[in-house]
Amino acid sequence: MNIFVAKLNFKTTSEALQQCFEEYGEVSSAKVIFDRETQRSKGFGFVEMPDDEAAEQAIRELNESEFDGRTIVVKKARPKTSNY
DNA sequence: ACTGAGCGG
């Protein structure tokens, strides 16, 4: 289950994001998107969880919840770039 | 250095 996390704190890192979701289930990978030029956070990231049940539960619990001082938005992620 | 909707290389 790919999870999309938005409105993150700009200081939030992938490690903190992963540890946040690990509280609700198994996390295979998690990363915050950083700008390729300035190396600064874009304010959103992605989390991948092998357990779909834990993933949906994590979405319910973490969506619109306070994380690192900011209210984050957690949704199901869309498939990657559709190159047509 | 800073910003605040939105989906990554």
Side-chain angles (χ1 to χ4, degrees):
Chain A
M1 176 72 76
N2 293 343
I3 303 173
F4 172 70
V5 185
K7 296 180 69 173
L8 289 168
N9 191 309
F10 292 102
K11 300 179 301 301
T12 303
T13 62
S14 301
E15 297 176 359
L17 185 64
Q18 181 173 351
Q19 290 178 357
C20 182
F21 278 79
E22 281 179 346
E23 295 179 2
Y24 297 90
E26 182 180 356
V27 177
S28 59
S29 68
K31 76 176 170 184
V32 176
I33 307 304
F34 287 89
D35 190 276
R36 189 165 58 88
E37 302 183 50
T38 63
Q39 298 295 325
R40 293 188 189 281
S41 174
K42 288 186 177 178
F44 66 94
F46 291 90
V47 178
E48 186 174 357
M49 299 179 72
D51 192 342
D52 294 343
E53 296 179 3
E56 293 181 1
Q57 184 176 359
I59 293 174
R60 295 178 191 176
E61 296 296 330
L62 295 174
N63 185 31
E64 294 180 351
S65 66
E66 182 178 315
F67 178 67
D68 203 10
R70 299 296 281 184
T71 302
I72 64 175
V73 177
V74 183
K75 303 175 183 177
K76 290 184 297 183
R78 290 185 160 181
K80 286 185 181 179
T81 54
S82 300
N83 293 348
Y84 287 103

